[in-house]
Amino acid sequence: MLSFLKKMIPRSIKKKIKETNYFQHQAVSNLAATSKRIDICSAQMAHIFHLSKHAPIEGKVCLEIGAGWVLTHALVCYLLGAKKVIATDVVPIAQPDTLLLALRDAIASIPRDILAPFSDHARVRERYNNLLSYSEFSFDTLKELGIEYQSPVDLATEKINTPVDFIYSNSVLEHVPVNDVPDLLNNLVNSLNVGGTMIHCVHLEDHQDIVGDPFNFLDIHENQFTPTLQSNRGNRIRCNQWRKLFDDLKGTNTDFIYCYSRLEKPLPEVIDSSISYVDEDDLRVSHIGVYTRKED
Ligand SMILES: C[S@@+](CC[C@H](N)C(=O)[O-])C[C@H]1O[C@@H](n2cnc3c(N)ncnc32)[C@H](O)[C@@H]1O
């Protein structure tokens, strides 16, 4: 019955509904209660810290780029004992009130146990309990936790003022238009203290249909693949090209901590000539984790 009614609603009206503040807040709340739950985001960060054998970030200054709608990864940095977390975004979309939902149904023992190797179990418990004591979250309450939200800020054109020890991004670099990527990466390295590190988790699939057709965008002609399309669907930079971009960063060392591929989905017959790649394996890489250290 409900699906029948949904079909009756004209597309233009559906679009208007989706653009309402109420609908958008609902969508962000869903995100907070699912993929941005604090136990899930803690698992993501523990995973990359294990793979990179990362040192604790206790007492360190962290920068997150493209922090998104729900600032859970910033809360995880707080749980890990970060002194300060600067969460940034190119557009101001964060809705801190939804963080209550990121905590509500989480399994408390998971963040405590899996973050403990990078801090201390008792201290993580104390910080977690502190988060649970909040009855609401706002940009002001986040400041009490040492989390500062800065947006809009485009780090391809400006540098963050504060020197930082650790930079993190999840599913962000693929949204940066191709021509902005070198400037953005150089600005990030310039913001890093000597000995500082960054980890970027980059998703290389076509975001228009990630599950069904993850390489569809590879045959679109360069002239039609505008910066807006690059932001929306992914910039099409392939694995080997990411290696080159990171290797070009002066005074740094980079390792790929993971590199996953999609083998079961077709590639287009023709690959647009603007896309730099080595072979089919390179085209098929779907996710990379990049770990960069600024040399002492
Ligand atoms: C898929 S969301 C990921 C959000 C968040 N990191 C997460 O894990 O849920 C992509 C994010 O990248 C941000 N973004 C897009 N283009 C960007 C750019 N040029 N510089 C920085 N962030 C950008 C978007 O505003 C959005 O917050």
Side-chain angles (χ1 to χ4, degrees):
M1 177 67 177
L2 200 60
S3 63
F4 171 75
L5 283 175
K6 269 189 191 163
K7 275 188 198 144
M8 300 286 291
I9 302 172
R11 224 172 240 245
S12 57
I13 305 278
K14 275 188 190 155
K15 191 167 175 274
K16 286 219 165 69
I17 293 172
K18 282 192 176 166
E19 281 166 5
T20 60
N21 283 345
Y22 172 78
F23 191 91
Q24 285 183 1
H25 193 264
Q26 279 304 109
V28 177
S29 299
N30 284 341
L31 210 57
T34 55
S35 62
K36 299 291 296 196
R37 244 169 59 169
I38 197 149
D39 44 357
I40 292 172
C41 292
S42 296
Q44 286 175 324
M45 292 201 77
H47 175 62
I48 56 171
F49 271 50
H50 276 295
L51 290 176
S52 60
K53 300 185 173 60
H54 204 279
I57 55 168
E58 194 111 26
K60 304 283 186 190
V61 179
C62 303
L63 167 67
E64 183 182 7
I65 63 163
W69 298 266
V70 192
L71 301 176
T72 321
H73 289 114
L75 284 193
V76 177
C77 291
Y78 161 78
L79 289 179
L80 286 166
K83 179 168 73 182
K84 184 180 168 113
V85 186
I86 306 165
T88 66
D89 212 321
V90 76
V91 280
I93 54 177
Q95 299 191 17
D97 59 315
T98 60
L99 285 169
L100 271 190
L101 295 168
L103 287 157
R104 193 186 61 189
D105 296 327
I107 309 297
S109 62
I110 300 291
R112 285 200 304 261
D113 294 355
I114 61 181
L115 297 178
F118 310 101
S119 177
D120 168 85
H121 198 269
R123 284 203 298 273
V124 177
R125 181 191 291 273
E126 198 180 312
R127 293 182 199 118
Y128 197 86
N129 288 346
N130 186 35
L131 293 184
L132 293 181
S133 73
Y134 280 85
S135 56
E136 60 168 27
F137 283 96
S138 64
F139 291 119
D140 284 337
T141 53
L142 287 177
K143 274 195 193 134
E144 292 168 17
L145 301 167
I147 300 170
E148 189 186 309
Y149 185 62
Q150 291 187 15
S151 183
V153 52
D154 183 355
L155 296 174
T157 55
E158 55 191 302
K159 232 184 76 177
I160 207 86
N161 288 328
T162 320
V164 300
D165 304 298
F166 174 62
I167 301 176
Y168 173 71
S169 78
N170 180 52
S171 254
V172 175
L173 292 189
E174 72 271 19
H175 294 286
V176 179
V178 174
N179 290 339
D180 291 346
V181 172
D183 287 343
L184 172 70
L185 294 181
N186 275 302
N187 280 342
L188 293 182
V189 170
N190 287 337
S191 304
L192 266 185
N193 283 321
V194 168
T197 58
M198 50 184 190
I199 300 183
H200 299 283
C201 302
V202 197
H203 183 182
L204 311 189
E205 292 170 299
D206 184 349
H207 287 41
Q208 182 172 266
D209 184 1
I210 289 169
V211 177
D213 209 351
F215 303 118
N216 185 344
F217 60 177
L218 294 178
D219 68 354
I220 301 173
H221 192 278
E222 178 183 18
N223 294 344
Q224 283 155 15
F225 208 66
T226 59
T228 305
L229 268 192
Q230 292 170 36
S231 282
N232 293 341
R233 290 178 68 173
N235 56 26
R236 309 194 292 187
I237 297 176
R238 308 322 292 162
C239 178
N240 197 59
Q241 188 63 18
W242 280 115
R243 272 189 207 279
K244 284 211 177 87
L245 284 160
F246 278 92
D247 284 346
D248 282 350
L249 298 173
K250 289 206 178 71
T252 67
N253 276 307
T254 290
D255 286 313
F256 277 32
I257 52 175
Y258 62 81
C259 194
Y260 306 139
S261 296
R262 285 292 290 279
L263 303 177
E264 83 290 8
K265 290 291 178 187
L267 287 166
E269 277 178 18
V270 177
I271 304 297
D272 181 58
S273 61
S274 69
I275 297 172
S276 168
Y277 68 100
V278 176
D279 52 20
E280 182 173 335
D281 289 347
D282 189 22
L283 286 173
R284 286 191 171 280
V285 174
S286 59
H287 297 81
I288 53 175
V290 189
Y291 174 43
T292 300
R293 278 117 23 231
K294 188 161 175 173
E295 285 163 358
D296 295 333

